[in-house]
């Protein structure tokens, strides 16, 4: 199994917890870490925006990327939610096995 981390930001902790819970319950990922107080500076509709957000680190298998993208789009409040995928090139065998054992 090839493991990945998916990055996704959102504007509230409650929304982050809700999305995380859905993804874990549906076995689309093994774990979601929610990091508070992320300052995001970005361009939206031709204006520079500065917002406090919550960053979700979603640990899953590469084979579930498309399902997670679709689910995030369904559950997320943003018009264009961030979904960025990072390959995990190495890590603790026990942890990577745990990810594989906790997803579909």
């Amino acid at each position: 199994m090839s493991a990945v981390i998916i990055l996704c930001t959102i504007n509230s902790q409650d929304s982050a917890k809700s999305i995380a819970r859905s993804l874990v319950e549906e076995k689309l990922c093994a774990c979601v870490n929610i990091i508070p107080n992320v300052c995001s500076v970005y361009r939206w509709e031709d204006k520079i925006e500065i917002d406090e957000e919550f960053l979700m680190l979603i640990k899953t298998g590469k084979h579930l990327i498309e399902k997670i993208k679709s689910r995030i789009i369904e559950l997320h409040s943003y018009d264009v939610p961030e979904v960025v995928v990072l390959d995990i090139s190495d890590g603790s065998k026990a942890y990577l096995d745990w990810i594989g054992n906790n997803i579909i």
Side-chain angles (χ1 to χ4, degrees):
M1 184 222 40
S2 294
V4 297
I5 295 175
I6 298 175
L7 307 177
C8 181
T9 52
I10 196 157
N11 60 356
S12 80
Q13 187 170 28
D14 287 342
S15 294
K17 286 179 181 180
S18 177
I19 289 173
R21 183 173 197 82
S22 293
L23 295 176
V24 172
E25 282 178 349
E26 296 167 23
K27 297 189 93 174
L28 295 177
C29 68
C31 174
V32 179
N33 300 112
I34 299 170
I35 302 171
N37 302 320
V38 173
C39 181
S40 296
V41 181
Y42 58 96
R43 182 179 303 277
W44 182 251
E45 296 180 347
D46 245 358
K47 295 190 314 195
I48 302 298
E49 302 286 345
I50 301 174
D51 288 317
E52 293 297 318
E53 294 185 296
F54 294 81
L55 175 62
M56 294 180 281
L57 303 177
I58 303 163
K59 276 68 87 66
T60 191
K62 191 172 239 173
H63 66 283
L64 292 169
I65 292 170
E66 292 306 316
K67 287 183 180 181
I68 290 175
K69 282 184 197 177
S70 294
R71 200 67 178 108
I72 287 172
I73 289 168
E74 287 174 21
L75 298 171
H76 209 291
S77 61
Y78 292 0
D79 291 337
V80 182
E82 172 186 11
V83 179
V84 175
V85 180
L86 306 174
D87 285 321
I88 298 175
S89 63
D90 195 12
S92 157
K93 180 181 178 342
Y95 187 78
L96 296 176
D97 288 345
W98 174 80
I99 291 173
N101 291 331
N102 285 283
I103 58 177
I104 56 174

